[in-house]
Amino acid sequence: MQADHLVGREAELDLATGILRQDGAGAVLLIADPGVGKTAMAAEIAARLSHEMVVMRVHGSPALSAVPYGVLAPYLLDLPVEQATSPVAILREFWAQFEKRRGGEGARLLLVVDDAHDLDEGSTQILAELVSAGWARLVATSRPRPGLPAALLQLWYDGLAERIELHPLERETAAQLAEMMLGGTVMASTVDVLHSVSEGNPLLLRCLLDDSKADGNLVRRNSVWFLTRALSGSGEGLAEVVRNKVLRTSDAEREAMYVVALSEPVPTAVLDALVGRDTVRSLMDSRLVVSTNGPGSALKMWHPMYGEALRQIVSPARSLQIRQRMVQHLGAEPATAEGLLRMVSWALDCGADVEDEQLLQAAFLAAKLLQNPLARAAADKVRSEALRPRARAVLAMVNYNDGDYRTAARLLEEQAGFLDVDPTGPLGAGLLWAAARAALGDSSADIVADARSAAALRAEGRSDDDPVLSQLHRHTDALELAALANDGQYRELGRGLETFAAGLEPGQPDFVMNRLFLLAMECELLTVEGQAVAALDKGREALVLLDEHHDDLLYFSDFIMVRYALAALEVGEWAAAEGALNRYAASSAMGLITFGGDIQALKGLSFLRQGRLEQASAQLTPAVEALRVKDPQRLRRLGNALAYYAAARSGNTELALRLAGEPEVPAAGGAYVEALAELFTLAGHEHLQRGTGLERLRTLPGSAPMHHLSGVLLQNLVLRAELGDQQAMDEIRETASDMAGTWAGGWLSLATAQADGAGDDLVNAGNLLAAGGMPGPAAVAFDKAALAFDAEGKRPEARQAAVLRDVSEASLGDSVARDPHTEVDRSVPLTRREQDIVALAVSGLTDRQIAEKLMVSVRTVEGHLYRSYAKLGIRRREDLGAAVRN
């Protein structure tokens, strides 16, 4: 089995071994940054060729780079001292050592040279001459800077060598490596974090995996691995790698790295003055420090995790010494957000004083970037009574995102901080407080009553024309409107929003906050009412305003994002929904850890609406585990319901029963989210055991006002239609006719075409659904069209519709979209190829094994199996055995 450190390198390995086996001169030059895997690849090439070549290894070293022929010394032990400077004598002795190893069997010589960039000139010339003369094959590794020695580079210019550049791992390859190392499924958002933080560097990725697993950050629940907090640079694996790098540098270079790691980004001129330009150039040539992409010339560690590991190595006393040297060179106000956070973090680590304003600024920024330890440490140090309310709001945000809702609520209740009306303060604190209270299970009535009581106390002694009084009223009005939405009282919410909007004026100090709140609430209301396109417009307007005032707002990004994403999913704007969810990772990988479960739950809902059941399951099953640990958007019940439905519908009875048997999750996500959760739970019941959910789905709209609203009702009808309820298809025409958007429009087209039964209309519906990114429903439409054409005797049209169906199904994975009430056409037998493939599948072979046996592509095997399922009237691979026996 291929070693885990060579995952994704098979093509390069095949190319390299092919070059070295060919006749004539041959060399392979592997170029890559540290940790990307060039040494491991050279070792694997040597292992593959060791049975046909004699392998001799040479290791470049900075310590020997100035010693002529120093790296060849292990092969020159018998060379007389007086001949130690003779290239001819050295070449003769080196070849004599090879002949001893070859033992007269005629094997060729393979030279494996690691870190060729550190070779001395004489050794390089000897190696190049061996290759040029055709006496040896060569594999040499080198960093891009300072690069290959001139003699080896000449081999490439002369066409005697192939240069292979190894790049960082792609995301999918990183996922494969992580799953190989951990021996299980790794949550998609966790893969994104690991890939982002490691920047695709295999060495760093392995260190992060080992260290995170060792310190309990990377955990496994029900065979799913995921991260629970930010990745740390303090792990022993990473520290060992960094220590090895540090030990190979000079004292001056080591000092320079400490300075850069502690105070990055460091102006280049400052570092030149402190350690000398030659030292800085050497570090840059070695790719240990790199230039920043921002304004001005500054330097930082080549990788953030190296910087963090170095900071762990430096003692507090040494750190303070360096800080005292650097203070005079660095401005009091760092030019970048990164610089501010680094300077404040450094000061806190070594006990230096920081002004309250700068502490609060750093705490606020760190909280928004989800750098919770720094946010907590900086906010705790704020001493000014005037600034403490903002500091408490930051601490509340940190605790909320960590799942400590009780502490978050308590911090905001101190001196009624959630009613803070300072326009420069923690805007959104009231909504954060209400969210924390709701997550604790408190009723909306209690939350509103407590808000009104606190506002009344603050209002005591103020005159009616006091502007603070008006702000208090608007603040508590907003909390009451949020409570109406949370309880599903959307008619009352609509009236309340009209009144709230009428009281807003651009000149008010809290106008931006209230405008954002209004847009978010209108987005939710319009989504639930089935006006999803208008809802999405409100959401886009909110995002634009949010971006304009992002630096001054706390919590509003989270408050708006989930509503925007749900509106986009209601419209059928899948890319817009994914773009909104991906914003969580735009500024910090920690966003994928904190919000990973919520993100994957909503992506799962998106895939379900597209009919991509397999992809939905891949997102939802891990999301359930992550949502147990962190769920700031309170989507846990919805995530569980979606995962349960996906498992039941795909026939994964074991998983579905496990999910159904787990303790009931509290309903804390708001009325719309909880309504969706109820719908998918009932549909899952029906898939798992017929007769247990469908009737309840039919009666919900008449028994619960929330379920009569178009945005909820259409989801109900679609689930029923997918269960084979013909009445639901009829009702879709009535409900969706007043709705806009791709999702509603696609289902309206399918329902209308099915009622008419004409093949052409069904094909048009399928085309509309396919164009809207819904291949599952599209496959159903094309399948119905094929049957309709066949019944009319239109064989060419039936075949064309079947082809369109197969194209749609081919993008769905293993789960086939079929109308439950479509009759199986037993008159269409399996083709010879389909019979062969089905027989092999029944015998237990995987798709890949079948493809290899029959010498076809995996996609071809999948396509034949999909068509076989349809002809046999089954939905799952597990049912093939029984179907062919019948």
Side-chain angles (χ1 to χ4, degrees), residues 767-795:
N767 287 329
L768 182 63
L769 287 160
M774 292 177 279
V780 171
F782 291 134
D783 191 53
K784 289 178 178 293
L787 292 173
F789 284 132
D790 193 59
E792 297 170 12
K794 298 179 178 179
R795 298 296 179 181

Side-chain angles (χ1 to χ4, degrees), residues 267-291:
T268 304
V270 171
L271 198 61
D272 285 346
L274 285 173
V275 301
R277 181 166 298 179
D278 289 343
T279 299
V280 174
R281 185 178 295 111
S282 175
L283 289 174
M284 295 185 70
D285 285 344
S286 300
R287 290 281 294 169
L288 291 171
V289 301
V290 296
S291 295

Side-chain angles (χ1 to χ4, degrees), residues 575-700:
E578 183 165 6
L581 296 173
N582 289 342
R583 282 174 62 121
Y584 282 117
S587 58
S588 170
M590 189 61 197
L592 288 170
I593 299 174
T594 301
F595 296 95
D598 295 315
I599 292 170
Q600 289 196 200
L602 291 177
K603 286 186 176 181
L605 174 58
S606 177
F607 284 131
L608 286 176
R609 287 188 170 173
Q610 296 170 54
R612 302 179 188 274
L613 186 57
E614 183 182 7
Q615 291 168 275
S617 298
Q619 292 283 333
L620 292 166
T621 305
V624 168
E625 307 306 326
L627 286 169
R628 301 177 196 276
V629 180
K630 292 184 185 295
D631 179 23
Q633 292 289 8
R634 295 177 291 148
L635 299 180
R636 182 179 170 188
R637 190 162 176 264
L638 176 60
N640 283 18
L642 294 171
Y644 167 62
Y645 168 79
R649 185 178 173 188
S650 61
N652 191 341
T653 304
E654 181 181 354
L655 175 59
L657 288 174
R658 178 174 68 76
L659 291 170
E662 293 182 353
E664 180 69 19
V665 177
Y672 179 48
V673 166
E674 298 305 324
L676 292 178
E678 184 176 9
L679 295 177
F680 280 97
T681 299
L682 291 172
H685 290 341
E686 186 67 22
H687 277 290
L688 198 62
Q689 186 176 353
R690 293 291 176 180
T692 58
L694 183 56
E695 189 55 39
R696 178 60 180 151
L697 285 171
R698 288 172 176 152
T699 59
L700 266 180

Side-chain angles (χ1 to χ4, degrees), residues 717-733:
L717 296 173
V718 167
L719 289 171
R720 286 166 51 193
E722 290 173 338
L723 285 164
D725 186 348
Q726 182 58 48
Q727 181 184 346
M729 291 297 284
D730 295 336
E731 293 179 29
I732 284 174
R733 287 187 294 164

Side-chain angles (χ1 to χ4, degrees), residues 247-265:
L247 289 173
R248 297 179 67 180
T249 60
S250 66
D251 290 343
E253 290 171 338
R254 197 172 307 137
E255 178 70 10
M257 283 194 291
Y258 290 157
V259 170
V260 173
L262 288 165
S263 54
E264 60 184 349

